[in-house]
Amino acid sequence: MIQILKENGNKVVRTKNELFKLTRNNDKVWGLFAEESLPYDIDRKKEEPSLAELTEKAIEILSNNKNGFFLMVEGSKVDWAAHSNSTIALTSDIKSFDNAVKSAINFAKTNKDTLVIVASDHGNGGITIGNRNTSKNYPELSLESFTTQLQKSKVSESFVSEEIFKNQKKYLKIRLCQDKF
């Protein structure tokens, strides 16, 4: 696939550094930053570009076209996280998408002929934030009582290795029982 892309005049980039080295003159670019899919934003390594960085670079390159451009940016991992009911992954990827939208809005502020449309394709998962201690008093609790633990998170649940999971199994069973409604 990479050979075919190159034969068709595409510049193929695989790292954040290669992406940042691109100039406005690179009109055909193909980014391959993962073997299958990009990780959730919270699990992203520093050498992997964020959705906002990808958006900014795409705008930089595409804005060189005198006829204008169309760019679609999707925060697709929001959907994946919702299907998995992964609160940590979901909130980090919503924030990541919000940052990408901010990049587009910033461009639009200085380029008045730009239209930015943000839409959700669908909601799913019925995800909730809280536990059995918040089921009867949800409306009275502060936002911080729900978000403090999320803000302390360093990785999503999907990022935890099998070895770590096995070592934490006893703790997780106890914790899961305590958090059930």
Side-chain angles (χ1 to χ4, degrees), residues 55-56 59 71 99-109 114 116:
T55 302
E56 290 164 10
I59 289 170
L71 173 64
N99 290 339
V101 170
K102 181 180 179 183
S103 296
I105 297 291
N106 287 341
F107 177 80
K109 285 179 181 178
T114 301
V116 177

Side-chain angles (χ1 to χ4, degrees), residues 69-71 104-105 107-108 111-118:
F69 65 92
F70 171 84
L71 173 64
I105 297 291
F107 177 80
N111 296 272
K112 299 298 181 189
D113 59 346
T114 301
L115 174 64
V116 177
I117 300 172
V118 181

